[in-house]
Amino acid sequence: MTGVYEAFFSALSGDATLQTLLGGTSTDKKVYPVNFTGKSGPPAIRVAVLGGGSDVGLGIDRPIVDIVIVSKVSAAEINTIGNRVDIVLNRKRLAGPDGAVLHLSHKITQRDFFDDPSLEYRRVIRYSVIKT
């Protein structure tokens, strides 16, 4: 699914309002791949590109993308950040820096929970994507 993560990263890291909510800087946009192991405290966003269907004859991929929002402060903080993520991504056409075009990013589910081991509030938002 080449270009999907990059398109999501570009959209999320390029939104000034979202970056203010995350406390992002020019060197740390607070948007990471889901397997990021570096040191950065919440609030933050992690992006996981999951496999999806493909229309081989038409050259269309349909990946699923999970956005994980993490906060140590409160569920209200993830709600505010999640609302902004929806504005940036839901029902949007996204372009990646490598020329990939995501014709439609559509929110399909969302769930909130508190992770006891890490003492973090989390929201997982799942998007379906149509990519050519």
Side-chain angles (χ1 to χ4, degrees), residues 105-121:
S105 169
H106 181 259
K107 179 176 161 179
I108 54 177
T109 63
Q110 153 181 318
R111 68 181 176 94
D112 294 351
F113 62 96
F114 184 77
D115 184 65
D116 289 323
S118 64
L119 300 176
E120 294 174 339
Y121 297 91

Side-chain angles (χ1 to χ4, degrees), residues 9-76:
F9 176 83
S10 181
L12 294 169
S13 66
D15 185 76
T17 302
L18 182 59
Q19 286 300 304
T20 299
L21 293 171
L22 294 171
T25 66
S26 61
T27 57
D28 184 1
K29 299 292 187 178
K30 307 285 277 204
V31 179
Y32 312 105
V34 77
N35 60 355
F36 176 75
T37 58
K39 293 183 179 180
S40 180
I45 293 176
R46 298 193 185 215
V47 180
V49 179
L50 311 174
S54 176
D55 295 334
V56 178
L58 301 174
I60 298 172
D61 290 326
R62 299 177 188 275
I64 300 296
V65 178
D66 279 356
I67 302 294
V68 182
I69 303 167
V70 180
S71 169
K72 283 205 179 269
V73 176
S74 70

